[in-house]
Amino acid sequence: MKQQRHPGAGGFPALMGVVVACAGLLFGPASSHAQMKAADIQKAVDAAYAKYKDSTDGKNADYIPALAKVDSKIYGIALVTPDGKMYTAGDLKSEVSIQSISKVFTLAYVMAQSGPQAILDNMGVDATGQVFNSINAIEQYKGAEMNPLVNPGAITTTSMVKGGDRAEVWKKILDYHSDFAGRTLSVNEEVFKSEAETNQRNQAIAQLMYAYGHIKDKPLEACDIYTEQCAISVNAKDLGVMAATLANGGKNPVSGKQVLDSKLVPDVLAVMATAGMYDDSGKWLYRTGLPAKSGVGGGVIAVSPGKFGIAVISPPLDAAGNSVRAQNAIADISNALGGNPYWSAAK
Ligand code: DON
């Protein structure tokens, strides 16, 4: 059955939009955020940092050889509020490759270029419940009933970026990530090369998505651009600002640039909530209520809309490919600050 995007974004009657906007100003994210005191935020960040600092759970990804060599002690936390204030702990300088977290921003770019219906019409927005590079998940519905945050959907999403040649498409993707971070990002060439030499499974995935008609042209080029996008180098602050841009209606709270139309932010967050932590997305949502996205480089971002964006970097991963310390630290901090968007007080 052909899916229809919900009418809320784009087709919402103007009057209703005004009512909702006014209610939001009075009772919504801004007042929630004001209730979080700076000292409490820093306290929560410091407590989570200390609690998991000596954890040795998890293991660096090693199917991309360069990732096995990354210092597994790197551990940094950055929480950024919509007023651009940053609350941090630990290592803010070390950079890791963004990996699958990039899928969120390329998805946002394609939604901005072609509209969210283009995603629904192509690979869909349903969780697969399977590992992020599952070929079974492709075979089940011939590459449909998928989502842009697992590899088949993500490589397809990258293939949907409109541009001239490879260089132009790549520049658009990198610039867009940089706008979210508020600084010019670059690629970790060692990681890019290492993954490009060992990504035969992703190449097969790209060919299958091409065979089923989801990738229209040049599947191996799409896979290569996707691999380069995964090698973008970021620190905890970069990821914190990127998450906070999503928490702040698509406007980077540090640079002030409106990077993504606020109408599209709920669509991106919905996909993150459904599939951002892969086959553990349900467990994660149950634990925190937060849309989030992990990467095998060790980063995790999470978004409490209107309240904060948070990122933690720590390379050791669990079996689903999600950073162990990052999940624990984000869950503790968000729970301490009332970040779960499903929470409300009884009247
Ligand atoms: O395609 C891959 O396998 C990696 N470049 C990205 C996978 C990833 O980050 C999964 N995340 N938790």
Side-chain angles (χ1 to χ4, degrees):
M1 197 178 82
K2 190 169 153 78
Q3 301 169 83
Q4 283 299 321
R5 186 167 166 260
H6 66 80
F12 214 55
L15 181 61
M16 203 56 189
V18 171
V19 171
V20 169
C22 292
L25 284 175
L26 288 171
F27 306 111
S31 66
S32 314
H33 170 233
Q35 284 159 13
M36 293 193 314
K37 293 202 185 75
D40 294 339
I41 301 176
Q42 190 59 51
K43 203 169 130 198
V45 168
D46 289 341
Y49 179 75
K51 184 169 165 190
Y52 301 109
K53 190 171 180 314
D54 299 321
S55 158
T56 52
D57 291 343
K59 195 172 154 297
N60 280 30
D62 57 8
Y63 73 97
I64 299 170
L67 299 188
K69 295 195 287 181
V70 175
D71 182 359
S72 44
K73 292 204 177 61
I74 295 171
Y75 178 34
I77 304 179
L79 182 151
V80 183
T81 47
D83 54 9
K85 293 212 172 74
M86 205 173 284
Y87 303 84
T88 62
D91 185 342
L92 306 172
K93 289 219 173 87
S94 292
E95 297 189 5
V96 296
S97 50
I98 188 167
Q99 296 299 337
S100 285
I101 301 172
S102 68
K103 293 168 179 170
V104 170
F105 304 101
T106 303
L107 166 65
Y109 191 68
V110 169
M111 280 185 179
Q113 266 193 333
S114 301
Q117 186 71 36
I119 298 292
L120 277 180
D121 288 345
N122 196 344
M123 78 296 283
V125 290
D126 275 323
T128 65
Q130 301 192 40
V131 291
F132 59 81
N133 56 6
S134 169
I135 285 174
N136 285 342
I138 304 177
E139 289 298 333
Q140 195 175 5
Y141 299 110
K142 297 185 164 51
E145 303 285 326
M146 180 78 50
N147 70 76
L149 300 183
V150 289
N151 291 9
I155 298 168
T156 305
T157 304
T158 297
S159 80
M160 292 167 75
V161 173
K162 288 185 193 149
D165 56 4
R166 188 200 185 287
E168 202 181 306
V169 168
W170 168 246
K171 186 175 174 345
K172 284 177 192 226
I173 291 174
L174 183 62
D175 287 352
Y176 201 58
H177 282 71
S178 297
D179 281 348
F180 264 96
R183 76 169 179 111
T184 304
L185 298 175
S186 58
V187 167
N188 180 323
E189 295 296 342
E190 189 195 347
V191 171
F192 178 32
K193 185 165 179 285
S194 177
E195 184 166 355
E197 283 168 359
T198 54
N199 68 351
Q200 289 74 22
R201 188 180 178 91
N202 279 345
Q203 292 179 36
I205 285 172
Q207 295 282 24
L208 264 180
M209 292 302 276
Y210 178 55
Y212 285 129
H214 300 283
I215 294 179
K216 306 293 178 218
D217 195 17
K218 299 187 192 157
L220 293 182
E221 184 174 289
C223 182
D224 194 53
I225 300 173
Y226 160 83
T227 306
E228 189 164 9
Q229 147 199 324
C230 287
I232 293 173
S233 195
V234 285
N235 60 35
K237 273 190 186 180
D238 294 328
L239 290 178
V241 174
M242 293 170 100
T245 301
L246 291 171
N248 190 37
K251 183 174 179 177
N252 184 316
V254 178
S255 72
K257 182 166 180 174
Q258 187 74 44
V259 183
L260 176 66
D261 186 334
S262 60
K263 288 197 193 86
L264 294 173
V265 172
D267 302 66
V268 174
L269 294 181
V271 187
M272 289 169 70
T274 321
M277 303 297 271
Y278 301 117
D279 33 330
D280 278 352
S281 295
K283 275 188 222 154
W284 171 259
L285 203 63
Y286 194 71
R287 184 177 180 189
T288 65
L290 299 183
K293 184 73 207 84
S294 62
V296 287
V300 176
I301 62 169
V303 177
S304 179
K307 289 189 176 175
F308 58 81
I310 184 167
V312 176
I313 289 179
S314 167
L317 312 176
D318 65 14
N322 302 322
S323 165
V324 178
R325 277 198 288 209
Q327 290 176 86
N328 287 332
I330 292 172
D332 277 18
I333 294 166
S334 178
N335 291 339
L337 299 176
N340 188 330
Y342 299 119
W343 181 86
S344 60
K347 292 246 186 313

